[in-house]
């Protein structure tokens, strides 16, 4: 007799529907040790392990995952968008926790989703570090915006100090000179000597920067005085940006060290792709995980949500835009990677950049996003081949394989 457990996971409790043949049994458990022990007794009542299905609900579903893995139970975990779509296709008319648990069990019966492939603890740690890095990046953007706001009252002209992207040196200068009057109080030699203590700034660079800083300070007309709170705000956010930047660097260092403990050359092979800096390579590895658990590259497309959706009704059968059902962080990383590969191709050729540029030239419209998605498909096939065959990227081999593929 087929037994399926559909579990609707929420913050503090979960609704469980045991679908036993044509009958069902429903119960509610707490998402803690006593609740999971209660679930264990329900699962142990069957001689053969039941099928278990639930939605990925972030931190809440991770507790259930950990429990099931600790006790050796396989499970299916669905992306919430995919689960909603399948449940809405004629199965669900009313939405409650009980009906969701029941319909999760029903769609497992209907679609027979494959069980989740468990990964090693190293990959899980890499993924956790990658998500932490992503959160710090979001915090960095917020801090930049708040620093900009504070400087509008104290020294807006300092934002013109460097023409290229601002980084650590700029933030250190802002932390020392958050108000234009502070620049005016120091003499030129004092500023030059201090600037030379910063990384990568020699005497000539320090002299030019000092001249520009003094010029900008004399142009400024501040809204507030040196003693006002906005000056402290500017200093605070400049220092916060430095701390966030340092923390992101330390996370990447930890990720690289962890990735190099894996029994393969995955990180090195990813770094061999033109345009893949170490940060991109290790984060792609962390988000995609062990690619050997996928039977083909199309499964990876579905995992990150760039597989095309499909609409079928009567005689109508058409492909829609990408599903966006999968790993959004991986999708964003790979999308940005296409731009990095294209930029690097000027000095380091790549067949993916060739494809991207040729499609842009032949396109009759400006829909470059679709071309980028198509390029991601090629990138995923390339990444999969490098990992499965444990080999670095080679432009000649890649272009030769492309020709063979197009002939077939």
């Amino acid at each position: 007799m087929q037994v399926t457990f559909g579990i609707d996971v929420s913050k503090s409790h979960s609704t469980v529907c045991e679908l036993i043949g044509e009958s069902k049994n429903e119960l509610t458990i707490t998402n803690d040790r006593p609740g999971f022990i209660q679930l264990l007794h329900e699962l142990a009542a069957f001689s053969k392990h039941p099928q278990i299905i639930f939605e990925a609900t972030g931190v809440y579903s991770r507790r259930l995952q950990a429990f099931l893995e600790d006790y050796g139970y396989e499970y299916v975990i669905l992306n919430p968008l995919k689960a909603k779509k399948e449940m809405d296709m004629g199965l669900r008319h009313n939405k409650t926790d009980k009906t969701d648990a029941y319909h999760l069990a029903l769609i497992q019966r209907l679609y027979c989703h494959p069980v989740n492939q468990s990964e090693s603890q190293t990959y899980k740690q890499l993924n956790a570090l990658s998500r932490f890095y992503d959160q710090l990046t979001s915090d960095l953007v917020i801090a930049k915006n708040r620093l900009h706001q504070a400087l509008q009252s104290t020294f807006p002209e300092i934002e013109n100090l460097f023409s290229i992207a601002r980084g650590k040196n700029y933030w250190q200068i802002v932390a020392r000179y958050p108000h234009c009057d502070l620049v005016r109080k120091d003499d030129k030699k004092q500023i030059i000597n201090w600037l030379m203590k910063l990384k990568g700034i020699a005497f000539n660079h320090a002299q030019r920067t000092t001249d520009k800083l003094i010029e900008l300070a004399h142009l400024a007309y501040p809204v507030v005085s040196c003693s006002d709170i906005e000056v402290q705000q500017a200093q605070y956010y400049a220092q916060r940006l430095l701390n966030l930047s340092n923390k992101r660097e330390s996370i990447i260092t930890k990720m690289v060290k962890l990735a190099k403990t894996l029994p393969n050359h995955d990180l090195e092979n990813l770094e061999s792709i033109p345009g893949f800096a170490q940060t991109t390579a290790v984060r792609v590895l962390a988000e995609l995980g062990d690619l050997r658990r996928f039977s083909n590259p199309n499964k990876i497309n579905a995992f990150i949500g760039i597989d095309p959706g499909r609409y079928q009704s009567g005689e109508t059968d058409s492909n829609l835009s990408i599903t966006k059902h999968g790993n959004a962080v991986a999708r964003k990383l790979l999308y940005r990677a296409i731009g990095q590969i294209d930029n690097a191709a000027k000095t380091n050729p790549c067949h993916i950049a060739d494809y991207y540029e040729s499609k842009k030239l032949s396109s009759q419209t400006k829909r470059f996003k679709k071309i980028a998605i198509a390029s991601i498909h090629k990138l995923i096939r390339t990444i999969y081949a490098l990992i499965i065959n444990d080999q670095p990227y080679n432009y000649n081999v890649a272009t030769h394989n492309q020709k063979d593929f197009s002939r077939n």
Side-chain angles (χ1 to χ4, degrees):
M1 184 182 296
Q2 190 175 6
V3 180
T4 308
F5 276 54
I7 306 176
D8 185 74
V9 183
S10 58
K11 182 179 178 181
S12 58
H13 66 276
S14 296
T15 303
V16 182
C17 176
E18 301 172 9
L19 202 56
I20 309 162
E22 297 303 316
S23 62
K24 64 176 180 177
N25 177 44
E26 294 173 335
L27 65 144
T28 299
I29 63 167
T30 52
N31 293 337
D32 52 19
R33 185 176 295 276
F36 291 148
I37 295 300
Q38 182 185 355
L39 177 60
L40 182 63
H41 290 321
E42 295 292 329
L43 292 167
F46 303 94
S47 55
K48 185 180 177 182
H49 279 194
Q51 293 185 44
I52 304 168
I53 182 170
F54 54 94
E55 294 178 47
T57 54
V59 292
Y60 305 134
S61 59
R62 284 186 66 185
R63 284 181 286 180
L64 178 60
Q65 282 179 259
F67 157 74
L68 293 171
E69 289 173 8
D70 287 345
Y71 285 90
Y73 282 92
E74 294 183 331
Y75 57 86
V76 174
I77 182 164
L78 284 187
N79 178 281
L81 289 174
K82 185 173 185 178
K84 180 181 184 300
K85 184 178 178 182
E86 292 182 356
M87 285 193 282
D88 285 346
M89 289 173 65
L91 288 179
R92 180 170 68 183
H93 299 286
N94 300 306
K95 186 187 184 326
T96 65
D97 289 345
K98 284 188 177 182
T99 57
D100 279 355
Y102 174 56
H103 287 123
L104 279 168
L106 280 180
I107 62 174
Q108 179 58 19
R109 288 268 183 98
L110 184 61
Y111 295 105
C112 297
H113 293 292
V115 297
N116 191 66
Q117 296 295 315
S118 182
E119 294 184 280
S120 72
Q121 194 61 31
T122 301
Y123 283 107
K124 291 178 181 177
Q125 284 297 304
L126 280 171
N127 186 260
L129 285 165
S130 177
R131 295 307 168 92
F132 188 17
Y133 182 94
D134 208 46
Q135 290 169 359
L136 290 172
T137 302
S138 297
D139 293 344
L140 201 76
V141 172
I142 293 169
K144 282 181 180 179
N145 291 335
R146 289 182 175 167
L147 176 61
H148 169 76
Q149 290 172 359
L151 286 173
Q152 300 318 296
S153 300
T154 63
F155 192 3
E157 285 77 10
I158 199 172
E159 293 184 325
N160 300 318
L161 185 62
F162 296 123
S163 55
I164 57 173
R166 305 181 190 110
K168 285 187 176 182
N169 282 345
Y170 169 73
W171 297 326
Q172 288 185 80
I173 292 168
V174 172
R176 184 176 176 91
Y177 299 111
H179 195 283
C180 55
D181 287 348
L182 296 173
V183 178
R184 295 168 186 164
K185 288 175 183 176
D186 279 358
D187 61 53
K188 185 175 177 178
K189 186 177 180 182
Q190 200 174 0
I191 298 173
I192 290 172
N193 289 337
W194 179 80
L195 284 173
M196 287 175 64
K197 294 176 183 177
L198 302 183
K199 188 176 180 181
I201 296 185
F203 176 74
N204 288 337
H205 186 187
Q207 197 170 35
R208 289 194 303 272
T209 303
T210 300
D211 288 339
K212 190 165 186 180
L213 186 63
I214 292 170
E215 179 190 348
L216 293 171
H218 285 294
L219 287 172
Y221 192 93
V223 176
V224 298
S225 69
C226 283
S227 59
D228 283 349
I229 189 64
E230 286 89 344
V231 176
Q232 293 178 39
Q233 280 182 290
Q235 283 181 311
Y236 170 79
Y237 285 115
Q239 190 58 54
R240 178 155 174 75
L241 283 163
L242 286 166
N243 293 340
L244 287 167
S245 182
N246 289 334
K247 188 61 181 177
R248 287 204 317 165
E249 288 176 7
S250 71
I251 285 174
I252 293 299
T253 301
K254 190 177 289 186
M255 289 177 73
V256 169
K257 188 176 179 181
L258 199 58
K260 287 182 177 179
T261 65
L262 292 167
N264 46 57
H265 304 95
D266 290 2
L267 180 61
E268 292 87 344
N269 292 334
L270 288 178
E271 284 184 271
S272 70
I273 300 171
F276 261 54
Q278 192 172 67
T279 298
T280 300
V282 77
R283 290 205 65 212
V284 167
L285 178 63
E287 291 298 333
L288 297 183
D290 187 357
L291 294 186
R292 295 165 188 80
R293 72 189 193 278
F294 296 105
S295 58
N296 59 66
N298 290 336
K299 298 287 179 68
I300 307 172
N301 292 339
F303 175 72
I304 70 169
I306 62 164
D307 52 325
R310 191 175 180 187
Y311 176 80
Q312 193 172 38
S313 177
E315 295 181 0
T316 303
D317 189 355
S318 60
N319 285 328
L320 306 176
S321 58
I322 61 172
T323 61
K324 295 186 179 179
H325 284 171
N327 185 324
V329 177
R331 195 162 59 242
K332 181 172 68 175
L333 272 171
L334 293 171
Y335 184 81
R336 288 178 178 170
I338 296 300
Q340 294 167 2
I341 290 169
D342 193 42
N343 289 333
K346 293 164 187 169
T347 55
N348 201 354
C350 179
H351 73 289
I352 297 162
D354 294 345
Y355 172 83
Y356 180 66
E357 286 298 328
S358 68
K359 286 296 180 183
K360 281 204 301 183
L361 288 172
S362 62
S363 176
Q364 300 298 315
T365 66
K366 296 290 185 182
R367 302 179 76 177
F368 293 154
K369 192 170 184 178
K370 282 195 171 184
I371 297 171
I373 295 298
S375 302
I376 292 174
H377 283 271
K378 280 193 173 293
L379 175 57
I380 285 172
R381 286 198 293 273
T382 300
I383 289 172
Y384 188 74
L386 298 183
I387 299 300
I388 295 299
N389 298 315
D390 194 20
Q391 62 185 26
Y393 179 83
N394 184 296
Y395 179 67
N396 294 327
V397 172
T399 50
H400 178 74
N401 289 342
Q402 282 290 115
K403 289 173 184 175
D404 288 346
F405 182 79
S406 60
R407 287 194 195 104
N408 296 331

